[in-house]
């Protein structure tokens, strides 16, 4: 007997324990692949999830309250890895929310976002293992909630979600990962650099999935995708990408050269 994939995604998203969420997400993808889960055609779910399942810690604070730590210290080293783990944890919820919420989208949309959710769960486990090796755990440092706040702000429109989460917020990771890897390499943490190599490879694919669905939604609505993208960034006051842009990764993820030239010039 097949189950409703949207409700199954919601159940996984609402789990508080990170280990349980990762296991449920992996099982969700497996069940989907063997045909045990099916989409239910219909309108998007009208009830946005404002608070997904998450552990009591980390404490969530405004981004400006997060203090910079030197990666050369053990605490600073762990804090950097913790920030990555937090992004990956949120990314699991974001991908599951796409499956749960946007029920009007084609089967291929749900297939791709279930794959993304499983890969994000894998990434979280990899980074969590590196944290554990340093004597820390997820939740030991404060974090901010910017990724999920944008998910809430775009909950009523799949086009806005695809533009502002994968193509803005997650694409920032494509730019930020190489400098972070350089810092970790400078202190001899080759194991974490290897983890970041896996994450960067997969995240190019995740941003590309968001790019394809954004452009498809724009085409369906008769909109110029690249003009629409800039309009949405302005309308939502979304963060502008900070240089240097990782042009190679962004091009592989679907950005055009002209688009990257425009982003490189800054907001104004």
């Amino acid at each position: 007997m097949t189950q409703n994939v949207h409700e199954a995604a919601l159940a996984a998203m609402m789990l508080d324990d990170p280990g349980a969420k990762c296991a449920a997400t992996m099982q969700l993808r497996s069940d989907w692949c063997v045909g045990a889960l099916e989409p239910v055609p219909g309108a998007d779910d009208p009830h946005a999830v404002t608070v997904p399942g998450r552990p009591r810690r980390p404490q969530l604070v405004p981004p400006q309250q997060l203090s910079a730590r030197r990666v050369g210290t053990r605490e600073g080293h762990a804090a950097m890895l913790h920030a990555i783990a937090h992004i990956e944890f949120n990314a699991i919820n974001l991908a599951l929310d796409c499956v749960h919420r946007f029920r009007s989208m084609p089967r291929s949309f749900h297939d791709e976002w279930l794959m993304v959710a499983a890969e994000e769960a894998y990434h979280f486990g990899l980074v969590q293992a590196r944290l554990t090796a340093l004597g820390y755990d997820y939740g030991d440092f404060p974090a901010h909630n910017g990724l999920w706040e944008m998910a809430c702000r775009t909950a009523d429109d799949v086009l806005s979600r695809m533009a502002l989460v994968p193509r803005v917020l997650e694409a920032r990771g494509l730019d930020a990962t190489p400098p972070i890897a350089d810092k970790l390499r400078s202190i001899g943490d080759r194991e974490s650099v290897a983890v970041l190599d896996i994450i960067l490879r997969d995240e190019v694919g995740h941003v590309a999935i968001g790019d394809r669905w954004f452009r498809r939604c724009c085409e369906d609505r008769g909109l110029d995708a690249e003009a629409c993208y800039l309009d949405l960034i302005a309308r939502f006051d979304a963060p502008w990408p900070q240089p240097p842009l990782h042009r190679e990764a962004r091009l592989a993820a679907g950005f055009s050269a002209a688009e990257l030239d425009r982003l490189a010039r800054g907001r104004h």
Side-chain angles (χ1 to χ4, degrees):
M1 178 178 175
T2 59
Q3 293 181 296
N4 180 326
V5 71
H6 315 295
E7 294 305 318
L10 176 63
M13 182 168 56
M14 297 311 294
L15 292 171
D16 295 330
D17 179 74
K21 187 189 296 286
C22 289
T25 300
M26 296 290 198
Q27 187 63 50
L28 188 67
R29 173 67 176 161
S30 177
D31 289 346
W32 168 264
C33 289
V34 299
L37 295 168
E38 286 292 332
V40 178
D44 292 345
D45 191 288
H47 306 293
V49 174
T50 55
V51 181
R54 59 191 181 210
R56 183 177 54 84
R57 299 166 63 241
Q59 177 190 7
L60 299 179
V61 300
Q64 58 271 23
Q65 290 186 20
L66 294 174
S67 58
R69 294 180 173 89
R70 291 179 58 250
V71 72
T73 68
R74 189 175 186 84
E75 185 181 58
H77 185 180
M80 177 175 286
L81 292 174
H82 187 275
I84 298 167
H86 183 65
I87 291 169
E88 300 303 323
F89 182 80
N90 272 277
I92 302 168
N93 284 333
L94 288 165
L96 292 173
D97 188 63
C98 287
V99 178
H100 159 64
R101 183 153 185 77
F102 299 120
R103 304 180 182 207
S104 62
M105 297 298 285
R107 182 187 186 90
S108 55
F109 176 91
H110 304 301
D111 179 63
E112 290 192 310
W113 287 108
L114 284 169
M115 180 191 73
V116 171
E119 289 183 350
E120 302 291 17
Y122 171 58
H123 297 167
F124 176 83
L126 292 176
V127 183
Q128 170 76 320
R130 294 302 305 139
L131 265 178
T132 301
L134 291 175
Y136 291 86
D137 198 1
Y138 178 57
D140 285 350
F141 299 91
H144 71 80
N145 201 33
L147 268 172
W148 189 257
E149 288 169 358
M150 185 61 80
C152 292
R153 293 176 65 196
T154 57
D156 62 345
D157 181 23
V158 66
L159 185 151
S160 297
R161 172 70 66 84
M162 294 296 103
L164 297 173
V165 176
R167 284 188 109 246
V168 171
L169 298 183
E170 293 185 289
R172 295 171 78 189
L174 304 183
D175 307 325
T177 299
I180 293 171
D182 287 342
K183 290 181 180 179
L184 292 170
R185 195 176 289 110
S186 74
I187 60 171
D189 186 359
R190 295 196 188 99
E191 293 89 346
S192 294
V193 172
V195 168
L196 287 187
D197 287 343
I198 293 170
I199 292 175
L200 180 59
R201 178 201 68 197
D202 292 346
E203 292 298 341
V204 169
H206 300 173
V207 176
I209 289 169
D211 176 81
R212 286 197 301 274
W213 287 107
F214 168 66
R215 292 182 186 277
R216 178 167 170 174
C217 289
C218 286
E219 184 179 352
D220 290 345
R221 301 184 197 185
L223 300 171
D224 178 270
E226 294 183 10
C228 178
Y229 182 61
L230 294 175
D231 177 65
L232 287 168
I233 290 175
R235 197 188 319 164
F236 282 80
D237 193 26
W240 198 269
Q242 297 300 305
L245 302 183
H246 191 334
R247 288 184 69 93
E248 181 182 3
R250 283 179 174 263
L251 287 169
F255 287 82
S256 72
E259 192 174 19
L260 294 181
D261 290 342
R262 172 64 191 91
L263 294 175
R265 291 198 298 270
R267 191 182 290 271
H268 301 296

